[in-house]
Amino acid sequence: MQYSSSRHQRLPRHEVVSQWLRSEIDSGRLGIGAQLPSEKELQKTFNISRITVRRALQTLESEGLIYRKQGLGSFVADYRVRHGLVRLTDFSEDISGAGIEPSSKVLFYAQENASEEVALTLGIEPNSVCARLDRLRLGNGKPIAFDRTWLPLYYARLLDGRDLSKETIYQILQREYKIPVVRGRYLIEAVNADKELAGYLEIKENQAVLAIYRTSFTVSDQPIYFQKRYYRCDRVIYELELERDPSKNPSIPSALPLRQFSPLFVQVPKNGQGFKK
């Protein structure tokens, strides 16, 4: 690993070390479970004392980014946080529940003609007009996901004039218009990021991402929107917990086949691929 001193000349030495290690972790060059350079290596690289190195490591440990093993050294922590997804939630609920500060950037919001796929999913005629919303989803200011969402014009018009970088579709429809989102259908797959998506997520082109295609419905099975979300794989994974069929487990007659379906989010420090259109 290479270190450049030009960007850190005015920082205290321990902050220089902690910032550099933090950037190595954030970039994925030091992945979860990876061993950090030894204290002696850090002393030599940064020309600092052992006390300064330990202060830097203590900072990262207090942030939950690393853990230390006696006699073995320091390692990148598995700092993903569990959040339930058995109930239908939106991005802000997911991220906030994981202890991460959510935010969004609206990259595109305009009308366009519906593709065959979008029209079929939304129950509208092909080439009829719908609305498309593109957002970059951030956790603690760092890219976590990119969303592309299509809405029938009726629902899209209810979003006009709203700040979609701060409010979610769920919040606006349910709070302001009493339109409940009652059901969602998901399809999940791994794809490779094309150049555009890689640029948004700040990853390499063709790097794998987790794609989630979701259709959300209100009452009477009316589709509200069709969304394609692309998660950075180094910042979210899903955990699935199942129970056996009740007929195979008579001692738990009310058991549900699906008990837990949870995204585990990486805790990005606050300071700090086939893209299907």
Side-chain angles (χ1 to χ4, degrees):
M1 288 177 278
Q2 298 294 321
Y3 160 68
S4 173
S5 63
S6 59
R7 294 184 299 114
H8 303 101
Q9 290 177 351
R10 298 184 181 180
L11 291 176
R13 302 301 289 169
H14 69 92
E15 289 187 18
V16 171
V17 179
S18 60
Q19 278 199 15
W20 181 75
L21 288 171
R22 198 179 288 113
S23 69
E24 293 295 298
I25 294 170
D26 185 42
S27 68
R29 288 187 290 270
L30 283 173
I32 292 172
Q35 186 170 10
L36 273 63
S38 68
E39 291 183 3
K40 287 185 178 180
E41 289 173 324
L42 292 172
Q43 283 181 255
K44 183 178 179 181
T45 299
F46 293 91
N47 192 26
I48 54 177
S49 68
R50 190 175 186 181
I51 292 175
T52 302
V53 170
R54 290 189 170 180
R55 185 175 177 184
L57 295 176
Q58 285 172 354
T59 297
L60 297 179
E61 189 173 24
S62 68
E63 293 175 358
L65 288 177
I66 69 169
Y67 63 94
R68 290 188 274 180
K69 287 185 177 181
Q70 187 73 26
L72 294 177
S74 300
F75 300 83
V76 179
D78 187 353
Y79 41 81
R80 293 167 293 197
V81 181
R82 178 174 297 179
H83 166 77
L85 196 62
V86 171
R87 68 183 180 90
L88 196 60
T89 56
D90 62 24
F91 178 81
S92 292
E93 291 171 325
D94 290 347
I95 297 296
S96 297
I100 300 172
E101 183 180 346
S103 59
S104 300
K105 291 182 180 179
V106 176
L107 305 176
F108 178 90
Y109 185 43
Q111 295 182 6
E112 68 176 24
N113 293 333
S115 68
E116 185 174 343
E117 177 190 24
V118 170
L120 180 63
T121 305
L122 294 180
I124 60 179
E125 291 296 322
N127 291 318
S128 61
V129 178
C130 66
R132 193 188 98 203
L133 170 65
D134 292 356
R135 288 171 293 179
L136 182 63
R137 317 311 291 264
L138 310 168
N140 291 343
K142 302 288 186 179
I144 288 182
F146 172 85
D147 289 354
R148 176 159 287 168
T149 307
W150 293 268
L151 303 95
L153 284 184
Y154 171 78
Y155 295 112
R157 285 170 179 149
L158 301 180
L159 308 180
D160 288 347
R162 309 307 292 253
D163 187 351
L164 296 175
S165 67
K166 296 180 180 179
E167 297 180 279
T168 68
I169 296 172
Y170 279 15
Q171 291 169 346
I172 295 169
L173 294 183
Q174 294 190 145
R175 182 183 61 224
E176 305 294 335
Y177 298 100
K178 310 304 180 187
I179 300 174
V181 180
V182 298
R183 183 170 70 87
R185 183 173 63 232
Y186 289 75
L187 175 66
I188 302 176
E189 68 173 343
V191 299
N192 295 325
D194 69 6
K195 185 176 181 179
E196 181 186 8
L197 179 57
Y200 291 143
L201 295 180
E202 299 179 7
I203 59 176
K204 295 179 180 179
E205 188 175 355
N206 292 321
Q207 184 171 322
V209 295
L210 183 65
I212 300 180
Y213 313 133
R214 175 169 69 177
T215 309
S216 293
F217 299 85
T218 187
V219 294
S220 302
D221 261 1
Q222 290 294 314
I224 292 178
Y225 67 72
F226 173 45
Q227 181 182 86
K228 295 184 177 183
R229 174 172 294 169
Y230 302 88
Y231 276 119
R232 281 183 54 148
C233 290
D234 60 341
R235 293 187 177 163
V236 63
I237 60 174
Y238 275 82
E239 180 179 73
L240 182 65
E241 181 179 341
L242 300 173
E243 280 194 353
R244 283 176 60 80
D245 187 280
S247 64
K248 308 295 183 182
N249 191 358
S251 65
I252 312 178
S254 61
L256 292 173
L258 176 63
R259 284 184 58 97
Q260 186 73 20
F261 187 51
S262 304
L264 305 176
F265 293 99
V266 166
Q267 284 279 17
V268 181
K270 289 187 178 181
N271 54 337
Q273 269 98 231
F275 180 24
K276 297 187 178 180
K277 300 185 179 180

